[in-house]
């Protein structure tokens, strides 16, 4: 695995060079506008990255809790597209473990139960130093069944963040 400095540099340069990555990968326009990018979505889960910028920080300089929940919700919901499920959030529980600061955050979502009408996804967010920032559990209601969509990582060095 690459060093922390290499990952930070790769992550920053990669998304600076491809600012529409989320849009290209099928992420919703709100997420893209707010710096949330989908790295991959496969049957075992999804991963995303969010660049930390002034617009998502609160008055103490760290990422606003509502932004963290939205980031987790976006990547959690997209983890179900590999199972052919289009979902909306039914409920969530989020645990904030430490302030979210640095250059970017990584979100990893893992479907725990994929049902016909209800899905449950576990989500973790990490800072650019690899420290766990939040844990969450989301319940999603299935609104549409579609052809499963697999999006393997475009940048292999970011898969093991």
């Amino acid at each position: 695995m690459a060093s922390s400095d290499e990952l930070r540099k790769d992550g920053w340069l990669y998304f600076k060079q491809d600012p529409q990555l989320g849009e290209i990968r099928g992420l919703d326009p709100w997420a893209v506008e707010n710096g949330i990018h989908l790295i991959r979505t496969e049957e075992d889960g999804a991963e995303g990255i969010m660049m930390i910028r002034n617009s998502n920080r609160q008055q103490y300089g760290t990422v606003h809790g509502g932004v963290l929940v939205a980031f987790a919700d976006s990547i959690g919901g997209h983890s179900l597209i590999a199972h052919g499920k289009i979902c909306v959030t039914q409920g969530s529980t989020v645990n904030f473990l430490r302030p979210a600061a640095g250059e970017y955050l990584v979100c990893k979502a893992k479907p725990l139960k994929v049902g016909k009408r209800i899905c449950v996804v576990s989500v973790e967010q990490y800072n650019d130093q690899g420290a766990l920032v939040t844990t969450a559990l989301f319940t999603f209601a299935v609104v549409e069944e579609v052809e499963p969509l697999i999006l393997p990582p475009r940048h292999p060095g970011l898969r093991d963040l």
Side-chain angles (χ1 to χ4, degrees), residues 4-126:
S4 171
D5 288 338
E6 291 170 323
L7 288 176
R8 209 171 16 260
K9 182 179 177 189
D10 282 349
W12 179 253
L13 291 176
Y14 180 53
F15 292 101
K16 288 290 273 186
Q17 291 170 358
D18 194 357
Q20 298 306 311
L21 178 65
E23 192 172 291
I24 292 164
R25 302 299 302 257
L27 203 58
D28 61 86
W30 181 90
V32 173
E33 183 65 27
N34 286 282
I36 297 171
H37 301 280
L38 185 63
I39 294 172
R40 76 174 184 98
T41 183
E42 297 172 284
E43 284 191 8
D44 67 334
E47 295 176 37
I49 191 167
M50 181 180 73
M51 306 316 292
I52 296 176
R53 49 194 189 190
N54 288 336
S55 63
N56 58 27
R57 291 186 177 127
Q58 36 81 324
Q59 68 270 27
Y60 304 111
T62 59
V63 178
H64 188 281
V67 173
L68 293 171
V69 173
F71 180 30
D73 182 42
S74 293
I75 302 304
H78 280 80
S79 74
L80 297 164
I81 195 68
H83 297 272
K85 309 289 185 184
I86 302 289
C87 301
V88 294
T89 307
Q90 185 174 348
S92 65
T93 300
V94 180
N95 300 294
F96 300 94
L97 306 177
R98 64 177 36 86
E103 293 181 43
Y104 62 84
L105 298 170
V106 173
C107 184
K108 296 181 178 189
K110 179 181 179 183
L112 301 177
K113 161 101 169 81
V114 180
K116 286 196 174 284
R117 298 188 338 200
I118 299 293
C119 300
V120 177
V121 178
S122 173
V123 179
E124 295 179 336
Q125 293 172 324
Y126 299 86

